[in-house]
Amino acid sequence: MDETTGVFEQDSPESSVYLLFGEINTDSVVNACAWILQANFEKKKPSHLTLLINSFGGDLHAAFALIELMRGSSIPVHTVGLGQICSAGLFIFMSGAKGHRTLTPTCTIMSHTYATGIEGNHHALINIAKELNWTHERIFRHYARETGLPDSVIKEKLIGTGDYYMSPEEAIELRLADKITGV
C-alpha cells in the first residue's frame, strides 16, 4: 500500500482498492477523489473500484465532494464498511454502487443530524441560517435518494434528535447497505 495515497497496490487490473480511514476532511478525501479521477482516465479501466471505509465521520462538505465524484464515475465504486462508519463516513459508504455496499459483521454504524459550531454577530448568524437549512435539506435528500425510505423513517431514525447506532443487519433493513460479509 502506498501510505501517502491510501491506494492498495494489487496485481489484478479488474479492480482497484482505496483505504479511507479516520476523520473525513479535505485532506483525507483529496487522494480518494484523485484515485477515482485517475481510474476514469486510464486507457484500460478497472471493472470497478473498491473503497474500504473506517471512519467516525467529520466534514460533511468534504464527504459530499467525494460523493459527487463517486456518482459521476463511469466506473462503479463498491464500498466496504469495516470498523466503524459513522456520520459523514456513513454518507460516503451508502453512496456506493447499489448491490455492492458491503458491511463486515462487526462494523459499527451510526447516523445522526449534523452539528456545527458557528459564531458571529447577529447579521452573520441570520445569513448563515440559509446555508444551515440547505445543508439539512441536502442530508435529507441524500438519505431519500440512497435508501428510498419514507420521509417519516428518515426523520425518526436517521436524522432524529440524537445519535442512532445500528447493527449491520439493521443497516440493511434501512437500505443503507446491501450485504454483510467478511473481507
Side-chain angles (χ1 to χ4, degrees):
M1 180 183 77
D2 182 331
E3 293 182 21
T4 60
T5 65
V7 176
F8 182 74
E9 300 296 333
Q10 47 186 23
D11 297 330
S12 171
E14 296 301 313
S15 70
S16 178
V17 177
Y18 188 89
L19 305 176
L20 181 61
F21 282 33
E23 182 177 0
I24 302 299
N25 58 39
T26 302
D27 292 335
S28 69
V29 302
V30 68
N31 289 326
C33 290
W35 167 69
I36 292 170
L37 288 170
Q38 180 180 358
N40 277 272
F41 287 108
E42 293 289 332
K43 288 183 181 180
K44 187 171 182 182
K45 292 179 175 61
S47 64
H48 66 277
L49 302 172
T50 302
L51 180 60
L52 298 171
I53 306 166
N54 176 18
S55 174
F56 55 84
D59 182 347
L60 188 60
H61 295 91
F64 272 127
L66 178 54
I67 289 165
E68 291 305 324
L69 282 174
M70 291 169 66
R71 286 179 179 164
S73 175
S74 64
I75 305 166
V77 179
H78 299 186
T79 53
V80 178
L82 62 159
Q84 64 181 336
I85 51 168
C86 302
S87 192
L90 174 59
F91 257 54
I92 294 167
F93 169 81
M94 68 182 184
S95 301
K98 298 289 188 288
H100 301 282
R101 301 172 305 169
T102 304
L103 294 170
T104 57
T106 60
C107 187
T108 295
I109 302 105
M110 189 272 290
S111 179
H112 60 184
T113 192
Y114 77 99
T116 186
I118 296 176
E119 56 182 53
N121 66 35
H122 176 75
H123 298 289
L125 295 175
I126 289 172
N127 288 329
I128 198 68
K130 181 178 179 182
E131 171 60 19
L132 296 177
N133 288 329
W134 167 231
T135 298
H136 181 77
E137 181 62 28
R138 278 185 291 195
I139 291 168
F140 186 84
R141 286 191 303 196
H142 184 66
Y143 275 113
R145 174 185 177 158
E146 299 301 332
T147 67
L149 291 170
D151 293 358
S152 60
V153 174
I154 294 169
K155 289 176 185 173
E156 176 189 344
K157 295 202 176 208
L158 300 174
I159 56 173
T161 58
D163 294 348
Y164 185 76
Y165 286 89
M166 63 199 95
S167 67
E169 293 80 11
E170 190 173 5
I172 288 176
E173 288 174 21
L174 290 169
R175 304 179 201 154
L176 299 168
D178 303 309
K179 56 189 168 187
I180 303 167
T181 189
V183 177

